[in-house]
Amino acid sequence: MSVVANPRIRVRFSKTGKVRFTSHRDVARIWERALRRVALPVAYSEGFSPRPKLSYGLALPTGYESAGEYLDVELDRERVEELELGQVPGAGLESDLGERLNRVLPEGIRVQAIAPVERVGESLQQAVIACTWEIELANAGSCEVEAWASGILAADEILVERERKGKKFIDDVRPLVHALDVVERGGDAVWLIAVLGTQPRALRPTELLEARLEGTVAGRHPPLMARSVCRMNQWMLREAQESRESQKSRNQEMITQGDARVEPLSVDAGPAALVETRA
Amino acid sequence: MSSLWPELERLLGEVQKPARYIGCEDGMIVPTHHPDKAAWLLIYPDTYEVGLPNQGLQILYEILNERPDAVAERSYAPWTDLAAVLRREGLPLFSLDTHRAAGDFDVLAFNLSAELVYTNLLECLDLAGIPIRAADRGPEHPLVLVGGHCSYNPEPLADFVDAAVLGDGEEVVSEISATVAAWKAEGRTSREEVLVALAGIAGVYVPSLYAAEFADDDDERSASGVLLGITPTHPAAPEQVQKRTIADLSEWPYPKNQLVPLAEVVHDRLNVEVFRGCTRGCRFCQAGMITRPVRERPAEQVRTMVADGLRRTGYDEVALTSLSTADFSGIEEVVADTVSDDACGQVSVSLPSLRVDAFTVGIAAQIQRARRTGLTFAPEAGTWRMRQVINKLIREEDLYGAVEAAFSQGWRRVKLYFLTGLPTETDEDTLGIIEMARNCVEIGRRHQKGASVTVSIGGFVPKPFTPFQWFGQNTEQELRRKVGLLRDAARNVRGVQLKWHDTRASVVEGLLSRGDRRLGAVIEDVWRNGGVFQEWGEHFDLELWTDAMARHGMSFEDHVYRHRHEDEPLPWDHLSAGLHKDFLWQDWRDALDQVGLEDCRWIPCYDCGACTGYGIEHVVASAVPPAGGSQGTGQELGRGGEVPVVLMTRPPREPVGVGS
């Protein structure tokens, strides 16, 4: 006997301004309350302490802004049918849901798009393979940053030390640096646009800025400092069913450009639109 | 003045939990400041997580912002990391609502719920750029007010605060605000003028208009250093300041828009106050004594506030708050209505402060329907004799019945709260705690294989305006010995986990609870030596306090451990919580005689003073005690077993007026 799966919807939202100082866990609680306030029939787990079935994309470090965060919501099929919410086929999704959510979400968290998830496969955390970051640098001129970026891209390996569960690990994060671009936009700020991998683990912008390359320009002291960081995109491969093995061996170009990569849910908010919302 | 946000924004990346400082809560008010409006900064001098849920502060925030002549914003004590960053950058303490500098407000009003935060008050003033001592402030500085339970003995803070406000704040805050607005309209010229005006408002105490006299070496009236009395030095200051009490809670359905924080806080849920005051008469309980009489909120208003609150906030948990929620008339129906209101989804109800004699299977069954929240019962003492002394007249059968109700309805763990260091406590009384816990586990295991009981032990600290205000607190060594006894006894009892409060912190709490204004020098000394966040284990440092006491020639013996005489002036005698002092003294004598006192909701008035003095009375919907209640239901309240009263566990240092 086959069990009909619960419908799922994917929400894309931005996180800008003061609320960027909330943590990933804070954002999860904000969403739980918002979804209850709009009375969306969210599915709950069974057991002693039922929890709403929500899953998030990669955690955004506290203090970073984002133009592309994701939330997958599993809906309770029976209650969706009861409430006859079937305006969007398959999801039980009212057309004004985004607006209603924006009315109850705190300033700075804004729904950009909502759509049914048709293909239920890997979780968002597994599917996303890279992020594009826009990093405003505080303490360097464009020439210095250009030289630093060339040094990073030319390096064979970039060793980063990190602690996990009390143990120290040294990782080579060079394979996670997919692209680096230096941009000037007038004023004294220099921007670094970085495409950084997230598998098998995500490389954080600050880790990259603090990476030391002994004996090269990129090993300069003091390390580059970010004045602000914004996640512009999260990327997954168009062929999301592609096996994990073949994902690992894929060409780096697929991640940095072209049709092979795709956002979990696209929105017509390019960098220009974002600059507007941040100003 | 402009917002400090652009400067703060650059710096918040450097500190832990920056969401503490952003505001942005649902329910936040962004007021428009104006020269005609008194600008209040309401400050909770502890972290955001602890302070945000405080209902008192939120009530005043709404009432003030509803007034046409006032605006109110909020602030909380910045954690040590941000305090260091602010000092480094030359930035002041700020409000969360518009990130405005604290010094730009007319009033800094502190909520004092616990004594150990006193040094944080100094820290906040200093960060605000305001002289910490009231005497050093000029008209250009904001007024510094305190309210909350600790303001019933504000003497230790007399040097630092401009005024302390006693009792319910709902009405008096408007009177104060009008006075401040008038002062502001006149250009805030004279500070003394506004203080005198404030002293004329009932419930407001202005310490600088009173003098404290102490006996010197050759005083005939008393031993050297003993307080002789606190008397007004200005005609506008009353001999005795009376607390304020609102007569009818239903007129004050606040907070109407409870703040919903973005960051995680304690008690992260909807809170609805179902009644204020308690007349159970537990002799150790300051809250129960100073908030009399009982004023219930009508059940219908509770239902509306719960339903509207859940819809507005998106919370899935609501706490029905009071000092003893199971005593609320019709509690079972209100809980049942809440958990079965489908519009709000799966809602759980938590009932803090549950009396075991009013906790029934019916309530247990109702509150576990959605999700089982933690259950805490407070028998407070381990033997019937001890509970007679403290007038917590619950029988062992009551506790076992409540515990049975909980375990049979699926709870696997209950928490029991006890005090140690109570007047006349013997080791047998102390060890009775473990005996009770053992029996509770046994009952639990009949229903649940892994049933367990967490026993939480607090060291008793005598508080002003209670019958135990004359009692010499147990020494730190004695409290530690008793905790040791309990640890040894609990070691081999399966299913019992023991937790205890730091006995050293109890000493400092005792010092600040009943101290007089000479302690100002000690508090300042501790703060100057870095003693902030003393209610946090990681920052508490007893040595800072013992060193400061020694430097100022004061002893814990005198201020904490000493029994007080009947005729000895107490540092709060010029203030009144409505209770007659002779009532409290009689209740103290009754305690030593192990004589109980019934709950006056259900018996004729015994005139404690709380109602008669102010022309108010109980507002209680039910004329009978809740089901299962043993107090006031014909139970024998007289003297229990013939255990001799032991008040003095140490030889007295000098003759005292009690127990003799």
Side-chain angles (χ1 to χ4, degrees), chain B residues 635-658:
Chain B
Q635 168 141 353
E636 175 56 56
L637 297 181
R639 199 180 167 94
E642 288 303 306
V643 182
V645 173
V646 186
L647 179 60
M648 307 302 169
T649 50
R650 305 163 288 114
R653 205 170 56 96
E654 55 182 67
V656 293
V658 290

Side-chain angles (χ1 to χ4, degrees), chain A residues 108-172:
Chain A
I109 293 183
R110 281 294 163 266
V111 174
Q112 299 168 316
I114 304 183
V117 182
E118 273 143 29
R119 205 171 49 200
V120 178
E122 284 180 307
S123 72
L124 274 169
Q125 286 188 28
Q126 292 164 326
V128 171
I129 45 140
C131 299
T132 301
W133 299 93
E134 204 173 271
I135 305 161
E136 185 187 2
L137 295 168
N139 62 337
S142 62
C143 294
E144 281 176 280
V145 182
E146 290 277 8
W148 173 86
S150 311
I152 291 283
L153 293 173
D156 292 329
E157 59 177 19
I158 304 170
L159 298 181
V160 167
E161 192 180 87
R162 62 167 179 160
E163 245 186 61
R164 212 178 159 188
K165 290 172 185 168
K167 279 186 182 173
K168 280 188 177 169
F169 291 85
I170 293 183
D171 294 338
D172 174 17

Side-chain angles (χ1 to χ4, degrees), chain A residues 17-23 25-27 29-30 32-34 36-37 39 44 48-51 62 104 106-107, chain B residues 5 9 12-13 18-19 22 24 26 99 260-264 268 311-316 370-372 410 412:
Chain A
K18 288 178 181 174
V19 294
R20 74 177 188 277
F21 291 110
T22 56
S23 70
R25 276 164 49 87
D26 294 337
V27 172
R29 276 192 308 273
I30 289 167
E32 287 176 25
R33 289 193 301 261
R36 279 194 294 266
R37 286 177 67 179
Y44 273 73
F48 188 74
S49 183
R51 304 299 314 158
T62 302
V104 299
E107 192 180 327
Chain B
W5 179 251
E9 190 174 28
L12 288 186
I22 62 173
C24 299
D26 193 293
H99 293 95
V260 184
L262 305 187
E264 193 166 17
D268 199 359
R311 278 185 201 98
R312 189 189 69 78
T313 61
Y315 275 127
D316 61 350
R371 199 169 66 224
R372 282 181 206 106
R412 287 179 291 200

Side-chain angles (χ1 to χ4, degrees), chain B residues 35-56:
Chain B
D36 293 341
K37 295 181 179 184
W40 291 67
L41 183 61
L42 307 174
I43 305 173
Y44 193 97
D46 202 338
T47 60
Y48 179 80
E49 302 89 281
V50 176
L52 180 113
N54 184 275
Q55 298 292 291

Side-chain angles (χ1 to χ4, degrees), chain B residues 471-491:
Chain B
F471 174 64
Q473 184 174 328
N474 275 192
T475 62
E476 200 269 320
Q477 291 81 352
E478 176 65 0
L479 284 180
R480 202 164 0 116
R481 187 187 70 82
K482 285 174 176 161
V483 169
L485 280 179
L486 291 167
R487 289 173 67 184
D488 288 344
R491 195 157 289 146

Side-chain angles (χ1 to χ4, degrees), chain B residues 298-361:
Chain B
E300 204 40 52
Q301 190 178 52
V302 171
R303 285 190 186 89
T304 308
M305 287 176 76
V306 169
D308 292 353
L310 289 171
R311 278 185 201 98
R312 189 189 69 78
T313 61
Y315 275 127
D316 61 350
E317 183 181 348
V318 56
L320 303 178
T321 67
S322 75
L323 292 172
S324 179
T325 295
D327 283 344
F328 182 66
S329 305
I331 182 68
E332 283 188 36
E333 291 78 7
V334 170
V335 172
D337 291 349
T338 302
V339 295
S340 52
D341 183 350
D342 282 340
C344 305
Q346 294 261 324
V347 175
S348 55
V349 178
S350 61
L351 306 175
S353 311
L354 278 178
R355 269 185 76 95
V356 300
D357 51 355
F359 182 78
T360 62
V361 177

Side-chain angles (χ1 to χ4, degrees), chain A:
Chain A
M1 203 183 90
S2 72
V3 179
V4 182
N6 279 329
R8 286 165 186 265
I9 56 172
R10 177 162 294 166
V11 182
R12 175 177 172 148
F13 62 97
S14 59
K15 184 185 180 192
T16 57
K18 288 178 181 174
V19 294
R20 74 177 188 277
F21 291 110
T22 56
S23 70
H24 186 64
R25 276 164 49 87
D26 294 337
V27 172
R29 276 192 308 273
I30 289 167
W31 274 107
E32 287 176 25
R33 289 193 301 261
L35 293 168
R36 279 194 294 266
R37 286 177 67 179
V38 299
L40 198 69
V42 177
Y44 273 73
S45 63
E46 305 284 319
F48 188 74
S49 183
R51 304 299 314 158
K53 290 188 172 175
L54 309 177
S55 60
Y56 297 86
L58 295 165
L60 181 70
T62 302
Y64 289 3
E65 292 187 304
S66 177
E69 294 301 289
Y70 297 93
L71 163 69
D72 280 359
V73 183
E74 185 175 325
L75 301 176
D76 184 325
R77 190 174 54 84
E78 282 177 25
R79 285 172 58 216
V80 168
E81 285 164 9
E82 255 171 55
L83 293 167
E84 297 178 342
L85 296 175
Q87 291 182 30
V88 174
L93 191 59
E94 297 150 283
S95 53
D96 67 341
L97 181 61
E99 278 168 49
R100 292 199 297 128
L101 281 167
N102 280 338
R103 278 200 289 273
V104 299
L105 285 163
E107 192 180 327
I109 293 183
R110 281 294 163 266
V111 174
Q112 299 168 316
I114 304 183
V117 182
E118 273 143 29
R119 205 171 49 200
V120 178
E122 284 180 307
S123 72
L124 274 169
Q125 286 188 28
Q126 292 164 326
V128 171
I129 45 140
C131 299
T132 301
W133 299 93
E134 204 173 271
I135 305 161
E136 185 187 2
L137 295 168
N139 62 337
S142 62
C143 294
E144 281 176 280
V145 182
E146 290 277 8
W148 173 86
S150 311
I152 291 283
L153 293 173
D156 292 329
E157 59 177 19
I158 304 170
L159 298 181
V160 167
E161 192 180 87
R162 62 167 179 160
E163 245 186 61
R164 212 178 159 188
K165 290 172 185 168
K167 279 186 182 173
K168 280 188 177 169
F169 291 85
I170 293 183
D171 294 338
D172 174 17
V173 297
R174 178 61 190 87
L176 296 171
V177 183
H178 298 308
L180 290 178
D181 283 303
V182 182
V183 178
E184 283 181 275
R185 290 177 178 153
D188 61 343
V190 177
W191 302 75
L192 188 64
I193 314 293
V195 182
L196 305 180
T198 63
Q199 305 284 359
R201 65 100 156 180
L203 175 60
R204 290 172 170 233
T206 42
E207 281 181 299
L208 175 68
L209 298 183
E210 285 163 9
R212 302 270 172 87
L213 289 179
E214 299 303 331
T216 71
V217 188
R220 66 194 287 281
H221 294 264
L224 293 172
M225 298 273 286
R227 186 179 288 160
S228 70
V229 180
C230 184
R231 174 145 74 188
M232 304 302 292
N233 314 87
Q234 300 188 47
W235 301 109
M236 49 196 254
L237 290 180
R238 189 172 286 282
E239 295 303 319
Q241 286 115 326
E242 186 183 2
S243 77
R244 305 280 283 161
E245 280 314 301
S246 61
Q247 276 189 33
K248 272 181 196 161
S249 62
R250 80 195 144 240
N251 191 315
Q252 186 160 307
E253 279 172 21
M254 292 172 74
I255 301 170
T256 54
Q257 56 200 283
D259 287 343
R261 70 179 189 179
V262 64
E263 293 185 278
L265 182 58
S266 73
V267 65
D268 296 327
L274 181 78
V275 170
E276 222 173 75
T277 54
R278 293 167 84 193

Side-chain angles (χ1 to χ4, degrees), chain B residues 421-485:
Chain B
L422 291 163
T424 79
E425 181 176 316
T426 65
D427 287 355
E428 195 187 327
D429 295 319
T430 312
L431 292 168
I433 292 171
I434 301 302
E435 207 43 51
M436 275 182 119
R438 182 205 308 272
N439 293 338
C440 288
V441 172
E442 217 159 86
I443 292 165
R445 303 242 157 152
R446 285 185 221 141
H447 298 278
Q448 305 271 341
K449 215 172 144 195
S452 69
V453 171
T454 302
V455 173
S456 182
I457 306 287
F460 173 59
V461 176
K463 293 285 164 93
F465 297 109
T466 67
F468 291 168
Q469 64 183 353
W470 291 278
F471 174 64
Q473 184 174 328
N474 275 192
T475 62
E476 200 269 320
Q477 291 81 352
E478 176 65 0
L479 284 180
R480 202 164 0 116
R481 187 187 70 82
K482 285 174 176 161
V483 169
L485 280 179

